[in-house]
Each structure stands twice: as C-alpha cells, then as structure tokens.
PDB file of all heavy atoms in Angstrom:
ATOM      1  N   LYS G   1       0.853  -1.189   0.000  1.00  0.00           N
ATOM      2  CA  LYS G   1       0.000   0.000   0.000  1.00  0.00           C
ATOM      3  C   LYS G   1       0.892   1.243   0.000  1.00  0.00           C
ATOM      4  O   LYS G   1       1.887   1.298   0.732  1.00  0.00           O
ATOM      5  CB  LYS G   1      -0.903  -0.013   1.237  1.00  0.00           C
ATOM      6  CG  LYS G   1      -2.015   1.012   1.158  1.00  0.00           C
ATOM      7  CD  LYS G   1      -2.894   0.920   2.386  1.00  0.00           C
ATOM      8  CE  LYS G   1      -3.892   2.075   2.382  1.00  0.00           C
ATOM      9  NZ  LYS G   1      -4.341   2.386   3.738  1.00  0.00           N
ATOM     10  N   ASN G   2       0.547   2.217  -0.847  1.00  0.00           N
ATOM     11  CA  ASN G   2       1.386   3.416  -1.051  1.00  0.00           C
ATOM     12  C   ASN G   2       2.770   3.047  -1.573  1.00  0.00           C
ATOM     13  O   ASN G   2       3.747   3.728  -1.286  1.00  0.00           O
ATOM     14  CB  ASN G   2       1.507   4.244   0.238  1.00  0.00           C
ATOM     15  CG  ASN G   2       0.186   4.851   0.655  1.00  0.00           C
ATOM     16  OD1 ASN G   2      -0.575   5.301  -0.194  1.00  0.00           O
ATOM     17  ND2 ASN G   2      -0.111   4.828   1.939  1.00  0.00           N
ATOM     18  N   GLY G   3       2.848   1.973  -2.352  1.00  0.00           N
ATOM     19  CA  GLY G   3       4.133   1.521  -2.887  1.00  0.00           C
ATOM     20  C   GLY G   3       4.433   2.033  -4.287  1.00  0.00           C
ATOM     21  O   GLY G   3       5.358   1.543  -4.938  1.00  0.00           O
ATOM     22  N   GLY G   4       3.663   3.026  -4.752  1.00  0.00           N
ATOM     23  CA  GLY G   4       3.834   3.518  -6.118  1.00  0.00           C
ATOM     24  C   GLY G   4       5.205   4.082  -6.414  1.00  0.00           C
ATOM     25  O   GLY G   4       5.611   4.178  -7.581  1.00  0.00           O
ATOM     26  N   LYS G   5       5.948   4.442  -5.367  1.00  0.00           N
ATOM     27  CA  LYS G   5       7.304   5.007  -5.546  1.00  0.00           C
ATOM     28  C   LYS G   5       8.333   3.913  -5.816  1.00  0.00           C
ATOM     29  O   LYS G   5       9.465   4.198  -6.150  1.00  0.00           O
ATOM     30  CB  LYS G   5       7.730   5.767  -4.270  1.00  0.00           C
ATOM     31  CG  LYS G   5       6.724   6.779  -3.770  1.00  0.00           C
ATOM     32  CD  LYS G   5       7.131   7.388  -2.431  1.00  0.00           C
ATOM     33  CE  LYS G   5       6.914   6.475  -1.249  1.00  0.00           C
ATOM     34  NZ  LYS G   5       5.513   6.204  -0.908  1.00  0.00           N
ATOM     35  N   HIS G   6       7.932   2.661  -5.636  1.00  0.00           N
ATOM     36  CA  HIS G   6       8.916   1.565  -5.679  1.00  0.00           C
ATOM     37  C   HIS G   6       8.588   0.515  -6.745  1.00  0.00           C
ATOM     38  O   HIS G   6       9.000  -0.634  -6.639  1.00  0.00           O
ATOM     39  CB  HIS G   6       8.971   0.860  -4.310  1.00  0.00           C
ATOM     40  CG  HIS G   6       8.951   1.780  -3.131  1.00  0.00           C
ATOM     41  ND1 HIS G   6       9.912   2.745  -2.913  1.00  0.00           N
ATOM     42  CD2 HIS G   6       8.071   1.884  -2.095  1.00  0.00           C
ATOM     43  CE1 HIS G   6       9.622   3.402  -1.788  1.00  0.00           C
ATOM     44  NE2 HIS G   6       8.514   2.903  -1.286  1.00  0.00           N
ATOM     45  N   LEU G   7       7.822   0.888  -7.755  1.00  0.00           N
ATOM     46  CA  LEU G   7       7.278  -0.099  -8.698  1.00  0.00           C
ATOM     47  C   LEU G   7       8.362  -0.905  -9.408  1.00  0.00           C
ATOM     48  O   LEU G   7       8.248  -2.120  -9.548  1.00  0.00           O
ATOM     49  CB  LEU G   7       6.382   0.596  -9.725  1.00  0.00           C
ATOM     50  CG  LEU G   7       5.086   1.185  -9.155  1.00  0.00           C
ATOM     51  CD1 LEU G   7       4.400   2.065 -10.192  1.00  0.00           C
ATOM     52  CD2 LEU G   7       4.148   0.080  -8.691  1.00  0.00           C
ATOM     53  N   ASN G   8       9.404  -0.219  -9.881  1.00  0.00           N
ATOM     54  CA  ASN G   8      10.454  -0.946 -10.615  1.00  0.00           C
ATOM     55  C   ASN G   8      11.129  -1.982  -9.727  1.00  0.00           C
ATOM     56  O   ASN G   8      11.418  -3.105 -10.163  1.00  0.00           O
ATOM     57  CB  ASN G   8      11.501   0.030 -11.171  1.00  0.00           C
ATOM     58  CG  ASN G   8      10.948   0.822 -12.340  1.00  0.00           C
ATOM     59  OD1 ASN G   8      10.249   0.276 -13.184  1.00  0.00           O
ATOM     60  ND2 ASN G   8      11.250   2.108 -12.388  1.00  0.00           N
ATOM     61  N   GLU G   9      11.383  -1.598  -8.491  1.00  0.00           N
ATOM     62  CA  GLU G   9      12.051  -2.514  -7.559  1.00  0.00           C
ATOM     63  C   GLU G   9      11.149  -3.700  -7.207  1.00  0.00           C
ATOM     64  O   GLU G   9      11.607  -4.835  -7.118  1.00  0.00           O
ATOM     65  CB  GLU G   9      12.467  -1.775  -6.284  1.00  0.00           C
ATOM     66  CG  GLU G   9      13.578  -0.760  -6.495  1.00  0.00           C
ATOM     67  CD  GLU G   9      13.103   0.616  -6.938  1.00  0.00           C
ATOM     68  OE1 GLU G   9      11.897   0.792  -7.207  1.00  0.00           O
ATOM     69  OE2 GLU G   9      13.945   1.526  -7.018  1.00  0.00           O
ATOM     70  N   ILE G  10       9.829  -3.435  -7.019  1.00  0.00           N
ATOM     71  CA  ILE G  10       8.903  -4.530  -6.705  1.00  0.00           C
ATOM     72  C   ILE G  10       8.833  -5.498  -7.891  1.00  0.00           C
ATOM     73  O   ILE G  10       8.916  -6.718  -7.720  1.00  0.00           O
ATOM     74  CB  ILE G  10       7.492  -3.994  -6.362  1.00  0.00           C
ATOM     75  CG1 ILE G  10       7.538  -3.091  -5.123  1.00  0.00           C
ATOM     76  CG2 ILE G  10       6.522  -5.151  -6.108  1.00  0.00           C
ATOM     77  CD1 ILE G  10       6.254  -2.312  -4.865  1.00  0.00           C
ATOM     78  N   ALA G  11       8.702  -4.944  -9.105  1.00  0.00           N
ATOM     79  CA  ALA G  11       8.608  -5.782 -10.303  1.00  0.00           C
ATOM     80  C   ALA G  11       9.882  -6.595 -10.514  1.00  0.00           C
ATOM     81  O   ALA G  11       9.845  -7.674 -11.105  1.00  0.00           O
ATOM     82  CB  ALA G  11       8.321  -4.917 -11.528  1.00  0.00           C
ATOM     83  N   GLY G  12      11.006  -6.083  -9.994  1.00  0.00           N
ATOM     84  CA  GLY G  12      12.290  -6.762 -10.166  1.00  0.00           C
ATOM     85  C   GLY G  12      12.522  -7.937  -9.237  1.00  0.00           C
ATOM     86  O   GLY G  12      13.561  -8.602  -9.322  1.00  0.00           O
ATOM     87  N   THR G  13      11.556  -8.229  -8.354  1.00  0.00           N
ATOM     88  CA  THR G  13      11.751  -9.335  -7.396  1.00  0.00           C
ATOM     89  C   THR G  13      11.554 -10.706  -8.036  1.00  0.00           C
ATOM     90  O   THR G  13      11.890 -11.718  -7.435  1.00  0.00           O
ATOM     91  CB  THR G  13      10.746  -9.234  -6.225  1.00  0.00           C
ATOM     92  OG1 THR G  13       9.415  -9.257  -6.775  1.00  0.00           O
ATOM     93  CG2 THR G  13      10.962  -7.979  -5.396  1.00  0.00           C
ATOM     94  N   GLY G  14      10.944 -10.729  -9.228  1.00  0.00           N
ATOM     95  CA  GLY G  14      10.587 -12.021  -9.810  1.00  0.00           C
ATOM     96  C   GLY G  14       9.166 -12.439  -9.477  1.00  0.00           C
ATOM     97  O   GLY G  14       8.746 -13.553  -9.795  1.00  0.00           O
ATOM     98  N   CYS G  15       8.397 -11.523  -8.848  1.00  0.00           N
ATOM     99  CA  CYS G  15       6.982 -11.813  -8.612  1.00  0.00           C
ATOM    100  C   CYS G  15       6.254 -11.810  -9.961  1.00  0.00           C
ATOM    101  O   CYS G  15       6.781 -11.308 -10.964  1.00  0.00           O
ATOM    102  CB  CYS G  15       6.368 -10.789  -7.661  1.00  0.00           C
ATOM    103  SG  CYS G  15       6.301  -9.102  -8.323  1.00  0.00           S
ATOM    104  N   ASP G  16       5.050 -12.345  -9.987  1.00  0.00           N
ATOM    105  CA  ASP G  16       4.265 -12.400 -11.228  1.00  0.00           C
ATOM    106  C   ASP G  16       3.325 -11.215 -11.361  1.00  0.00           C
ATOM    107  O   ASP G  16       3.005 -10.797 -12.474  1.00  0.00           O
ATOM    108  CB  ASP G  16       3.442 -13.694 -11.249  1.00  0.00           C
ATOM    109  CG  ASP G  16       4.334 -14.914 -11.171  1.00  0.00           C
ATOM    110  OD1 ASP G  16       4.850 -15.334 -12.208  1.00  0.00           O
ATOM    111  OD2 ASP G  16       4.544 -15.423 -10.040  1.00  0.00           O
ATOM    112  N   GLY G  17       2.859 -10.698 -10.225  1.00  0.00           N
ATOM    113  CA  GLY G  17       1.917  -9.584 -10.245  1.00  0.00           C
ATOM    114  C   GLY G  17       2.290  -8.543  -9.213  1.00  0.00           C
ATOM    115  O   GLY G  17       2.881  -8.865  -8.175  1.00  0.00           O
ATOM    116  N   VAL G  18       1.948  -7.282  -9.514  1.00  0.00           N
ATOM    117  CA  VAL G  18       2.152  -6.187  -8.568  1.00  0.00           C
ATOM    118  C   VAL G  18       0.799  -5.531  -8.321  1.00  0.00           C
ATOM    119  O   VAL G  18       0.129  -5.083  -9.262  1.00  0.00           O
ATOM    120  CB  VAL G  18       3.162  -5.147  -9.118  1.00  0.00           C
ATOM    121  CG1 VAL G  18       3.246  -3.937  -8.180  1.00  0.00           C
ATOM    122  CG2 VAL G  18       4.540  -5.779  -9.282  1.00  0.00           C
ATOM    123  N   GLY G  19       0.372  -5.516  -7.056  1.00  0.00           N
ATOM    124  CA  GLY G  19      -0.867  -4.840  -6.690  1.00  0.00           C
ATOM    125  C   GLY G  19      -0.601  -3.363  -6.483  1.00  0.00           C
ATOM    126  O   GLY G  19       0.420  -2.984  -5.907  1.00  0.00           O
ATOM    127  N   ILE G  20      -1.520  -2.516  -6.992  1.00  0.00           N
ATOM    128  CA  ILE G  20      -1.343  -1.066  -6.829  1.00  0.00           C
ATOM    129  C   ILE G  20      -2.583  -0.473  -6.167  1.00  0.00           C
ATOM    130  O   ILE G  20      -3.693  -0.986  -6.329  1.00  0.00           O
ATOM    131  CB  ILE G  20      -1.060  -0.363  -8.176  1.00  0.00           C
ATOM    132  CG1 ILE G  20      -2.176  -0.645  -9.201  1.00  0.00           C
ATOM    133  CG2 ILE G  20       0.293  -0.799  -8.730  1.00  0.00           C
ATOM    134  CD1 ILE G  20      -2.079   0.184 -10.476  1.00  0.00           C
ATOM    135  N   ASP G  21      -2.378   0.607  -5.412  1.00  0.00           N
ATOM    136  CA  ASP G  21      -3.520   1.295  -4.821  1.00  0.00           C
ATOM    137  C   ASP G  21      -4.003   2.388  -5.788  1.00  0.00           C
ATOM    138  O   ASP G  21      -3.516   2.503  -6.910  1.00  0.00           O
ATOM    139  CB  ASP G  21      -3.187   1.817  -3.419  1.00  0.00           C
ATOM    140  CG  ASP G  21      -2.099   2.875  -3.421  1.00  0.00           C
ATOM    141  OD1 ASP G  21      -1.890   3.534  -4.460  1.00  0.00           O
ATOM    142  OD2 ASP G  21      -1.441   3.054  -2.371  1.00  0.00           O
ATOM    143  N   TRP G  22      -4.952   3.195  -5.334  1.00  0.00           N
ATOM    144  CA  TRP G  22      -5.615   4.157  -6.222  1.00  0.00           C
ATOM    145  C   TRP G  22      -4.866   5.488  -6.315  1.00  0.00           C
ATOM    146  O   TRP G  22      -5.319   6.405  -6.992  1.00  0.00           O
ATOM    147  CB  TRP G  22      -7.052   4.384  -5.759  1.00  0.00           C
ATOM    148  CG  TRP G  22      -7.138   5.074  -4.419  1.00  0.00           C
ATOM    149  CD1 TRP G  22      -7.352   6.400  -4.198  1.00  0.00           C
ATOM    150  CD2 TRP G  22      -6.999   4.474  -3.126  1.00  0.00           C
ATOM    151  NE1 TRP G  22      -7.357   6.666  -2.847  1.00  0.00           N
ATOM    152  CE2 TRP G  22      -7.141   5.494  -2.168  1.00  0.00           C
ATOM    153  CE3 TRP G  22      -6.764   3.163  -2.684  1.00  0.00           C
ATOM    154  CZ2 TRP G  22      -7.062   5.253  -0.793  1.00  0.00           C
ATOM    155  CZ3 TRP G  22      -6.689   2.936  -1.323  1.00  0.00           C
ATOM    156  CH2 TRP G  22      -6.830   3.951  -0.397  1.00  0.00           C
ATOM    157  N   THR G  23      -3.713   5.605  -5.651  1.00  0.00           N
ATOM    158  CA  THR G  23      -2.967   6.874  -5.677  1.00  0.00           C
ATOM    159  C   THR G  23      -2.037   6.966  -6.880  1.00  0.00           C
ATOM    160  O   THR G  23      -1.351   7.967  -7.049  1.00  0.00           O
ATOM    161  CB  THR G  23      -2.145   7.049  -4.382  1.00  0.00           C
ATOM    162  OG1 THR G  23      -1.190   5.984  -4.296  1.00  0.00           O
ATOM    163  CG2 THR G  23      -3.046   7.024  -3.160  1.00  0.00           C
ATOM    164  N   VAL G  24      -1.989   5.908  -7.705  1.00  0.00           N
ATOM    165  CA  VAL G  24      -1.207   5.939  -8.951  1.00  0.00           C
ATOM    166  C   VAL G  24      -2.150   5.673 -10.124  1.00  0.00           C
ATOM    167  O   VAL G  24      -3.209   5.089  -9.947  1.00  0.00           O
ATOM    168  CB  VAL G  24      -0.069   4.882  -8.933  1.00  0.00           C
ATOM    169  CG1 VAL G  24       1.047   5.301  -7.998  1.00  0.00           C
ATOM    170  CG2 VAL G  24      -0.593   3.503  -8.533  1.00  0.00           C
ATOM    171  N   GLU G  25      -1.749   6.127 -11.303  1.00  0.00           N
ATOM    172  CA  GLU G  25      -2.549   5.895 -12.513  1.00  0.00           C
ATOM    173  C   GLU G  25      -2.175   4.544 -13.111  1.00  0.00           C
ATOM    174  O   GLU G  25      -0.992   4.273 -13.342  1.00  0.00           O
ATOM    175  CB  GLU G  25      -2.278   7.004 -13.538  1.00  0.00           C
ATOM    176  CG  GLU G  25      -2.894   8.340 -13.181  1.00  0.00           C
ATOM    177  CD  GLU G  25      -4.410   8.340 -13.371  1.00  0.00           C
ATOM    178  OE1 GLU G  25      -4.882   8.034 -14.478  1.00  0.00           O
ATOM    179  OE2 GLU G  25      -5.120   8.632 -12.396  1.00  0.00           O
ATOM    180  N   LEU G  26      -3.187   3.729 -13.374  1.00  0.00           N
ATOM    181  CA  LEU G  26      -2.939   2.398 -13.926  1.00  0.00           C
ATOM    182  C   LEU G  26      -2.128   2.471 -15.223  1.00  0.00           C
ATOM    183  O   LEU G  26      -1.204   1.683 -15.437  1.00  0.00           O
ATOM    184  CB  LEU G  26      -4.272   1.685 -14.166  1.00  0.00           C
ATOM    185  CG  LEU G  26      -4.215   0.294 -14.799  1.00  0.00           C
ATOM    186  CD1 LEU G  26      -3.400  -0.682 -13.959  1.00  0.00           C
ATOM    187  CD2 LEU G  26      -5.617  -0.258 -15.021  1.00  0.00           C
ATOM    188  N   GLY G  27      -2.446   3.426 -16.087  1.00  0.00           N
ATOM    189  CA  GLY G  27      -1.726   3.563 -17.359  1.00  0.00           C
ATOM    190  C   GLY G  27      -0.246   3.852 -17.156  1.00  0.00           C
ATOM    191  O   GLY G  27       0.616   3.302 -17.855  1.00  0.00           O
TER     192      GLY G  27
END
C-alpha cells in the first residue's frame, strides 16, 4: 500500500503480479 514510488524494484523481485492502490494511474 502506497508503494507507487517503488514499482520498478517490486517488479524486479521475480513476482508475477504487482498490486497497486488508487494513488497511482494504472496507465
């Protein structure tokens, strides 16, 4: 939650999906 500042790092873990909250734009 409130992780929009760390998207590249989260995606780099090898996880399959990244959940986002409403404070970032999906696009």
